[in-house]
């Protein structure tokens, strides 16, 4: 037990680049991702892993909708079920690839995936203004059918209509005790995939919500609840940048919460890309002030944990 407790406990958040955008891409991508994660294990990090699922859940939703169109007796799968399906198959690929990589390095470490539910507020403002686009392109007639069901759709000129769902804030991670127990036992745990399965609690009954939860939001929440030593957010760039995408962009090597909030107020971070990651970092650090956040790319993480790359955020 002393050996386990001495390890640096971290939550690692994986972005789209770590998984690819199709089933075949994912098979190849997780092998590369597993090498980076195994490097962390070898560096004596105790990992709890969460991941994105945007392309995966959209693919599943599209497939289940088309199945209903072809076979009238099938019931379309609600968003909560599509989310659960994505957690299962993404977790399966990650845990198998990581287990294989670890065994190849002579490391015997259990890797487990926990199907994770996350409660949301039914009165969250996000339900009144859905923004997350998912699924297939529809004709105007199909979109009108979705609207009659009470769903929201948006038109993409020249391409058709697509469904949009809400992205409410997470409240509680239902399976947090199970996640903590496995992590404390020294296992690598994959949890809260895709932000978690959004559920609404009604008289002690959990009912699936037609929504998705931001992966970055749940990463900050998970890291805070577990009180880990560090939150590592892996994205497509090796640093957070000021003036990103401009000629004078400069990497940010270290900032504190106050500086991060100032940069947010100045509009430095793009909504939907870097902004949610900075907000997740702040959320975690406000819950665990002694912790730290590392934002970097998958390919640079080995250098980043040695201080040679990446952006570090502290209280």
């Amino acid at each position: 037990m002393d050996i386990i407790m001495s390890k640096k406990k971290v939550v690692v958040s994986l972005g789209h680049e770590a998984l690819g955008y199709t089933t075949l891409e994912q098979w190849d991508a997780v092998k590369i991702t597993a090498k980076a994660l195994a490097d962390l294990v070898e560096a004596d990090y105790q990992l709890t892993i969460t991941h994105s699922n945007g392309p995966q859940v959209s693919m599943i939703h599209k497939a289940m909708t088309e199945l209903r169109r072809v076979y009238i007796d099938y019931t379309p799968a609600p968003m909560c079920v599509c989310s659960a399906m994505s957690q299962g198959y993404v977790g399966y690929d990650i845990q198998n690839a990581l287990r294989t990589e670890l065994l190849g390095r002579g490391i015997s470490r259990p890797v487990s995936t926990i199907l994770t539910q996350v409660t949301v507020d039914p009165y969250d403002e996000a339900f009144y203004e859905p923004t997350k686009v998912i699924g297939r392109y529809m004709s105007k007639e199909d979109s009108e059918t979705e609207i009659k069901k009470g769903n929201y759709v948006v038109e993409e000129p020249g391409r058709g209509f697509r469904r949009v769902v809400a992205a409410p804030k997470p409240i509680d991670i239902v399976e947090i005790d199970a996640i903590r127990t496995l992590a404390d036992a020294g296992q690598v745990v994959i949890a809260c995939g895709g932000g978690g399965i959004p559920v609404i609690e009604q008289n002690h009954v959990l009912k699936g919500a037609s929504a998705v939860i931001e992966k970055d939001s749940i990463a900050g929440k998970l890291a805070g609840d577990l009180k880990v030593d560090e939150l590592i957010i892996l994205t497509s760039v090796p640093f957070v940048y000021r003036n990103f995408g401009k000629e004078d962009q400069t990497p940010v090597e270290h900032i504190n919460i106050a500086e991060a909030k100032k940069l947010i107020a100045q509009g430095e971070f793009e909504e939907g890309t870097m902004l949610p990651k900075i907000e997740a970092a702040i959320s975690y650090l406000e819950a665990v002030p002694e912790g730290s956040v590392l934002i970097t790319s998958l390919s640079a993480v080995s250098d980043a944990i040695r201080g040679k790359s990446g952006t570090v955020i502290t209280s």
Side-chain angles (χ1 to χ4, degrees):
M1 179 62 72
D2 290 339
I3 295 175
I4 293 173
M5 295 303 291
S6 71
K7 294 181 182 296
K8 188 172 186 178
K9 294 186 177 182
V10 301
V11 164
V12 179
S13 176
L14 302 175
H16 297 317
E17 290 74 16
L19 301 174
Y21 289 80
T22 68
T23 303
L24 292 178
E25 283 184 10
Q26 184 169 297
W27 287 342
D28 293 331
V30 293
K31 294 175 184 176
I32 298 170
T33 299
K35 294 181 185 299
L37 294 173
D39 287 344
L40 292 174
V41 173
E42 281 198 315
D44 219 23
Y45 285 72
Q46 173 59 46
L47 306 186
T48 300
I49 302 163
T50 189
H51 58 82
S52 64
N53 77 335
Q56 290 80 9
V57 76
S58 187
M59 177 185 69
I60 291 169
H61 180 268
K62 185 188 300 183
M64 298 306 292
T65 301
E66 288 301 308
L67 183 66
R68 173 68 173 83
R69 285 162 55 86
V70 175
Y71 298 100
I72 198 70
D73 292 336
Y74 278 83
T75 302
M79 274 305 303
C80 55
V81 173
C82 294
S83 179
M85 289 178 177
S86 73
Q87 275 194 17
Y89 102 84
V90 175
Y92 163 72
D93 278 352
I94 295 173
Q95 74 179 37
N96 273 359
L98 182 53
R99 178 181 179 275
T100 299
E101 182 65 27
L102 289 173
L103 288 175
R105 301 185 187 197
I107 302 171
S108 180
R109 185 72 52 81
V111 184
S112 304
T113 298
I114 295 183
L115 204 62
T116 316
Q117 302 172 96
V118 176
T119 59
V120 298
D121 182 354
Y123 301 106
D124 190 303
E125 291 183 2
F127 283 108
Y128 302 100
E129 294 184 12
T131 58
K132 283 292 183 180
V133 181
I134 64 162
R136 66 186 177 91
Y137 286 97
M138 298 178 286
S139 65
K140 184 173 178 58
E141 292 74 19
D142 285 345
S143 72
E144 290 171 350
T145 299
E146 289 296 322
I147 293 171
K148 288 178 182 178
K149 294 178 186 176
N151 296 325
Y152 292 83
V153 297
V154 63
E155 183 178 6
E156 294 186 21
R159 305 191 72 178
F161 296 80
R162 295 182 74 189
R163 186 176 168 191
V164 289
V165 297
K169 297 293 185 184
I171 298 176
D172 290 313
I173 299 170
V174 178
E175 286 77 22
I176 190 64
D177 288 340
I179 297 167
R180 184 181 293 109
T181 297
L182 290 176
D184 287 347
Q187 295 197 28
V188 176
V189 186
I190 303 163
C192 297
I197 304 165
V199 293
I200 295 170
E201 187 169 5
Q202 298 177 338
N203 297 322
H204 307 296
V205 176
L206 298 176
K207 296 186 177 181
S210 182
V212 295
I213 297 170
E214 288 282 3
K215 177 264 301 179
D216 294 312
S217 293
I218 203 62
K221 171 72 174 169
L222 179 62
D225 286 359
L226 293 178
K227 298 190 183 305
V228 295
D229 302 303
E230 186 174 16
L231 168 60
I232 300 176
I233 300 176
L234 300 182
T235 183
S236 59
V237 290
F239 289 92
V240 175
Y241 293 90
R242 285 187 175 91
N243 300 320
F244 180 69
K246 300 177 182 178
E247 289 185 2
D248 60 342
Q249 79 170 23
T250 54
V252 177
E253 295 186 0
H254 182 271
I255 52 174
N256 59 34
I257 288 179
E259 291 166 332
K261 289 182 177 179
K262 184 177 180 180
L263 291 173
I264 289 174
Q266 294 172 349
E268 278 285 356
F269 308 122
E270 185 177 358
E271 189 172 345
T273 55
M274 189 55 70
L275 178 60
K277 294 168 179 56
I278 303 297
E279 291 175 336
I282 294 171
S283 172
Y284 159 65
L285 291 170
E286 288 180 340
V288 186
E290 66 277 15
S292 65
V293 177
L294 172 63
I295 302 178
T296 190
S297 63
L298 184 71
S299 59
V301 67
S302 293
D303 285 337
I305 62 174
R306 296 173 176 84
K308 298 179 180 179
S309 186
T311 297
V312 175
I313 307 175
T314 57
S315 296

